[in-house]
Amino acid sequence: MKFIAFSACLTLATAFSPGNGQRFSSELSATVAKSSLVPPVIDSTNTQSIYDSNVQTTYGRYPLTIASGKGCKLFTTDGKEYLDFVSGIATCALGHAHPKLTEAIANQMKSVHHVSNLYFIPAQAQLAKWLCDNSCAEKVFFCNSGAESNEAAIKCARKHANGRGITKPVIITAKQSFHGRTLAALTATAQPKYHEGFTYGGEMVQGFESIEYNNVEELKGAVAEIAADPERGLAAIMMEPLQGEGGIIPATKEFFAAARKLADEEGALLICDEVQAGMGRTGLLWGHENLDVEPDIFTSAKALGGGVPIGAMMARGEAASVFKPGDHASTYGGNPLACAAGLAVATAICEEDLLHNVQERSKQLTAGLESLAAKYPNVLGEVRGWGLLKGVVVKGGFSAGEIVGEAMKEGLLLVPAGPTVARFVPPLIVSEAEIDEALAKFEAAVAAKVQGET
């Protein structure tokens, strides 16, 4: 490399000597191009070994290499077909290779895909308007992921509290919640197993307390304790309308009504994490609509872009005007490409009547799972969730991971929601026939597991 650097400098000096002109400028380009950079090798036949050598082991991956997808099906490099009831973990709302989403992304790439938020972006304005027109939100901040949208909500709540004279703001979250992997969002995620190794002096980010989900009395007690402390103040109550990673547990209307009332009494904000439940997955556009409560802030990501990275923090009332120029930002947030994808998803939800499809397929899936639970009572338990965010409890000494692994052998992709719940989150476009197919494959998996234990 030292020789290469010297050669480049020598060529550069020569290029600027009198009378040499363009020829030496070209020599400079050629010399630099001959550096020791290794060009990428596009080869999908050796993917897993390349992962082992080059990718950090932050995920426990299943031994599948996906080559392509169409609708609710995925196809592997070894020619196998799978019915996808994972949807990129509740992300691919329109399934795979949806023509409208594909066309929108391709057309946007031919025009302009990124310019930064230094300028006005038509697609960003249009997507923000659609989100506000179809919710209680008044203003939107765009980012790139669920964790980022929740970080934005946390910052907004803290700044709002600061404006009320609170210098030690506290945000109450729920045990077994999940809000993301960035440090503050991870702290809000009140699951100690995710905190191990990331503390400072044994503590995560200060200013968070957690209570049992759906426990009204415990929530009231936490708010009262904070209110009685002259050094602290309640900034926000931050909850999922349905705990996804915590086991597919819907909130109760009583719990959210209490959270709304307590936040109002304290001048604090109610934040709703809609990253997994939002964008139609529960049968309504937003999960909190199932609870008859309007939050001050709610967040979205996952299905918002149908698989193209995008996140949004939406706010109303005082929360909508907390951030001023320079308070928060995102290089990629709301860029033309991501917002074109978001608009395609929004259009499909409206034009293809996907909320109705979610409601109908939810009834079908619920009835089918409850029938299987009655048939295999030693293995399957309660069926719970909303819309196409469903889970079935796994018991009898089996883990959710084992059942999910057995379903994969039958050609059905599922994902655990904690150690004891198998999660069903198909694309919102899933058909009646595909629900039936999934139920048949799931029964075969359960039966095989039962037979293997006898």
Side-chain angles (χ1 to χ4, degrees):
M1 286 300 293
K2 289 182 179 179
F3 172 78
I4 294 167
F6 175 75
S7 175
C9 291
L10 180 62
T11 307
L12 180 63
T14 309
F16 281 97
S17 61
N20 284 297
Q22 182 64 38
R23 180 173 63 86
F24 290 102
S25 177
S26 298
E27 279 186 27
L28 172 62
S29 300
T31 304
V32 173
K34 292 178 182 178
S35 71
S36 61
L37 291 177
V38 178
V41 177
I42 311 302
D43 177 14
S44 61
T45 62
N46 202 26
T47 300
Q48 290 189 31
S49 64
I50 295 174
Y51 262 88
D52 292 341
S53 300
N54 299 276
V55 180
Q56 293 191 25
T57 55
T58 54
Y59 302 95
R61 289 181 168 87
Y62 294 105
L64 300 183
T65 303
I66 305 300
S68 63
K70 182 68 175 177
C72 295
K73 298 291 179 68
L74 285 172
F75 308 94
T76 59
T77 52
D78 57 357
K80 294 180 181 178
E81 177 183 303
Y82 292 88
L83 183 58
D84 182 15
F85 271 45
V86 177
S87 305
I89 313 182
T91 297
C92 299
L94 305 185
H96 307 285
H98 189 281
K100 290 181 180 177
L101 181 58
T102 301
E103 181 183 15
I105 294 170
N107 287 342
Q108 193 62 56
M109 284 298 297
K110 294 174 185 176
S111 174
V112 57
H113 69 287
H114 179 75
V115 294
S116 88
N117 282 297
L118 293 172
Y119 317 104
F120 292 106
I121 300 170
Q124 184 181 133
Q126 292 157 17
L127 182 56
K129 185 179 188 306
W130 183 83
L131 291 167
C132 291
D133 285 347
N134 291 280
S135 73
C136 62
E138 297 171 16
K139 295 288 179 69
V140 183
F141 170 82
F142 287 105
C143 49
N144 310 289
S145 68
E148 287 186 40
S149 61
N150 285 330
E151 287 279 346
I154 290 166
K155 286 182 68 175
C156 186
R158 282 196 168 192
K159 193 167 190 293
H160 179 264
N162 182 266
R164 292 159 48 216
I166 297 172
T167 56
K168 291 186 176 181
V170 180
I171 296 175
I172 297 175
T173 65
K175 293 180 173 69
Q176 299 304 309
S177 60
F178 191 87
H179 299 291
R181 299 280 187 168
T182 51
L183 205 54
L186 190 63
T187 307
T189 298
Q191 297 196 52
K193 67 179 181 181
Y194 292 125
H195 298 172
E196 293 177 8
F198 300 110
T199 62
Y200 180 86
E203 293 186 356
M204 294 291 285
V205 176
Q206 293 181 326
F208 291 88
E209 291 191 3
S210 61
I211 54 99
E212 182 184 355
Y213 194 59
N214 280 334
N215 190 323
V216 173
E217 293 307 312
E218 193 171 340
L219 177 59
K220 288 180 178 178
V223 172
E225 184 179 336
I226 295 166
D229 188 339
E231 294 188 353
R232 301 190 301 164
L234 183 66
I237 299 170
M238 181 177 186
M239 297 288 163
E240 298 161 276
L242 179 154
Q243 285 194 332
E245 304 300 319
I248 315 299
I249 302 172
T252 64
K253 289 185 177 182
E254 179 190 14
F255 180 66
F256 256 73
R260 177 71 276 173
K261 184 173 184 292
L262 290 166
D264 289 341
E265 289 173 351
E266 297 297 319
L269 303 178
L270 178 61
I271 301 172
C272 200
D273 178 347
E274 295 269 6
V275 170
Q276 187 164 182
M279 289 298 290
R281 181 146 295 277
T282 69
L284 298 174
L285 190 59
W286 306 110
H288 64 260
E289 292 179 294
N290 294 278
L291 301 168
D292 300 331
V293 166
E294 289 189 345
D296 301 293
I297 294 174
F298 61 103
T299 57
S300 181
K302 287 189 179 289
L304 180 58
V308 175
I310 186 172
M313 186 274 284
M314 291 154 279
R316 70 180 182 97
E318 293 180 2
S321 58
V322 168
F323 283 156
K324 306 300 180 187
D327 283 342
H328 198 47
S330 171
T331 297
Y332 295 106
N335 75 13
L337 182 64
C339 288
L343 285 168
V345 173
T347 299
I349 288 175
C350 295
E351 292 184 353
E352 298 178 26
D353 199 14
L354 291 187
L355 295 183
H356 178 72
N357 189 61
V358 171
Q359 293 162 13
E360 292 303 307
R361 300 289 71 77
S362 176
K363 294 174 187 176
Q364 180 189 0
L365 179 59
T366 302
L369 289 175
E370 288 177 344
S371 177
L372 291 177
K375 187 174 181 179
Y376 300 94
N378 294 327
V379 182
L380 302 177
E382 180 187 8
V383 177
R384 58 199 188 205
W386 296 329
L388 291 177
L389 181 49
K390 287 289 182 182
V392 59
V393 172
V394 177
K395 55 184 184 177
F398 298 105
S399 70
E402 289 178 286
I403 297 297
V404 167
E406 200 66 44
M408 186 180 296
K409 295 177 185 177
E410 299 294 333
L412 172 65
L413 300 182
L414 303 174
V415 60
T420 62
V421 176
R423 177 172 21 176
F424 292 71
V425 279
L428 307 189
I429 61 168
V430 67
S431 69
E432 182 178 357
E434 286 166 331
I435 294 288
D436 285 340
E437 182 183 353
L439 289 168
K441 290 178 183 295
F442 187 62
E443 179 173 10
V446 173
K449 208 66 184 173
V450 170
Q451 186 176 5
E453 292 295 312
T454 57

